[in-house]
Amino acid sequence: MSYGQGGPPQQWDPWKPNSQQPWDGGGSGRSPDWAALADASEARAKRRRLLFIGGGALATVAIGTAVAVAVVSANGGTEASPGASSQLPGTSDLPSPTGTVPSFAPTSAPPPLDPKDFVASAKKDKAPLSPDILFPGTQLTMGETVYKKGPTADTKNCASAAKATLPKVLNDNDCTRLIRVTYTKDDMAVTVGVAVFDTEAQATKAKQQADKKSVVKSLSGGGVKDFCSGAVCRTTTNAYGRYAYFTVAGFTAGKNVTEKDTPVFTTGDDLQEFTFRQIRRRGEAQASAAANE
C-alpha cells in the first residue's frame, strides 16, 4: 500500500505543531476516534491547570521578593524607632545640599570704662576742677531739704585749711589742694573740705590716718556766722578715688552739738553724700568722653 510522498501517516499529537488529526476523506467509512479525542482534551486541561498553578507560585514569590526589597530599602538596613516616619521632614523642609552656612567674624565688645579709674590718679583726672564746678549753683536740694550755698575757698596749702591732727595727715600724704564750701539751713551750717592727692592710695591712706580730732576748718563769711570755732561739732571723713573729703557741722549760734541733735547729723550726712556723688559724676563724665573718642 502506498502512502504517497510522506510515507506512513503520522500519529496525531494535539501538542505538536502542524500535527493533524487523521481523517478519512469519507471514503474509508470510519468514524473519528472519540475516546482518543477525549483523552487528548483531558490532557490539555490538566496541563493548563499545572501551568496556572506554577505561574501563580512564581508570581507570589516575585511579589514577596518585591515587598522584601521595598522594606529593606525603606529601613535602610536599620530598624526605625516607633513613630519615626511621622516625624520625618518634608522635602521642602530639608536643607539644600548646595546651601552655605553663614559665617560671622568674631567680635567682642570692649569692657565698659570704670568711672573710678578716671578719678583715681592725676594722670587720668584731667577735667577742670574748682569749687563752683564741684559744687555748682546757689543751693542744694537733698530729698525734701534745701540748703543754701555760702562762701567757697580753694588753696594749695592744705594744712592751712585744717586743724588739730588733720594738717599733719594732709602733709604726710602730699595733699596738693583743698577746696571748701559752706551750706546753711536755719540755724545750722556745714563746711565740706575736699583734699586732692595725686593717687588713690594717698587719699585712702589719709582717710585711714585721720582720727576724731582731724577736722577741716569751718568756712564763714558772706552772711554766714562763725561756727564750730570753739563749740563741739559733728565731723565725718571719707575718700573716693584720689579725693578725701571731710565735713564739720554745727550751730551758727555757737552751742554744742549733742547726740540728740539729729538734724545736724543729717546735714553732715547729706553733704557727705552729695560730695561723693559729685566726685563720681566727674569720673563718669570723663569715662563717657573717653569711650566716644
Side-chain angles (χ1 to χ4, degrees):
M1 180 182 293
S2 174
Y3 296 94
Q5 296 179 355
Q10 297 179 353
Q11 182 66 31
W12 175 63
D13 186 351
W15 302 108
K16 184 176 181 181
N18 302 320
S19 177
Q20 297 181 358
Q21 183 178 355
W23 182 259
D24 191 348
S28 63
R30 292 185 302 172
S31 62
D33 189 348
W34 299 110
L37 291 175
D39 291 341
S41 177
E42 179 64 23
R44 288 195 302 271
K46 185 177 181 180
R47 189 164 184 176
R48 286 195 192 97
R49 286 197 296 270
L50 290 175
L51 287 174
F52 288 147
I53 293 173
L58 291 175
T60 303
V61 172
I63 292 173
T65 303
V67 171
V69 171
V71 171
V72 172
S73 299
N75 290 341
T78 60
E79 183 178 358
S81 60
S85 60
S86 63
Q87 299 174 1
L88 294 176
T91 55
S92 60
D93 297 329
L94 296 176
S96 172
T98 60
T100 58
V101 178
S103 60
F104 302 93
T107 59
S108 59
L113 300 177
D114 187 354
K116 191 176 182 181
D117 289 343
F118 290 85
V119 292
S121 68
K123 292 181 179 180
K124 297 188 71 173
D125 188 12
K126 297 295 186 180
L129 180 63
S130 70
D132 289 333
I133 291 176
L134 203 55
F135 302 98
T138 59
Q139 66 182 29
L140 168 65
T141 301
M142 295 292 289
E144 297 180 355
T145 305
V146 179
Y147 298 96
K148 183 181 178 180
K149 183 180 175 181
T152 62
D154 187 2
T155 179
K156 293 183 179 179
N157 184 3
C158 299
S160 65
K163 60 181 182 181
T165 61
L166 186 56
K168 183 178 186 304
V169 170
L170 298 177
N171 287 336
D172 288 349
N173 291 285
D174 300 321
C175 174
T176 61
R177 189 174 181 181
L178 184 59
I179 296 174
R180 289 182 295 163
V181 61
T182 295
Y183 287 89
T184 62
K185 184 184 185 309
D186 301 331
D187 60 344
M188 297 176 295
V190 55
T191 294
V192 182
V194 180
V196 185
F197 301 86
D198 286 337
T199 66
E200 180 180 8
Q202 291 172 323
T204 301
K205 191 174 181 180
K207 172 191 171 182
Q208 295 170 345
Q209 292 177 349
D211 55 24
K212 293 182 179 180
K213 295 182 179 180
S214 299
V215 182
V216 66
K217 285 183 178 179
S218 61
L219 182 62
S220 57
V224 179
K225 297 180 181 179
D226 185 40
F227 66 101
C228 295
S229 295
V232 176
C233 290
R234 195 251 184 160
T235 63
T236 66
T237 301
N238 218 319
Y240 183 80
R242 68 186 187 111
Y243 300 90
Y245 46 100
F246 311 86
T247 68
V248 53
F251 294 105
T252 55
K255 66 177 182 178
N256 293 333
V257 175
T258 68
E259 293 180 357
K260 296 180 180 180
D261 296 317
T262 54
V264 176
F265 284 76
T266 301
T267 297
D269 291 343
D270 283 348
L271 268 298
Q272 180 180 232
E273 174 67 19
F274 179 73
T275 302
F276 163 74
R277 293 180 186 178
Q278 288 299 95
I279 297 172
R280 181 170 177 81
R281 287 192 185 105
R282 178 179 176 84
E284 291 172 347
Q286 294 182 89
S288 178
N292 294 326
E293 289 181 353

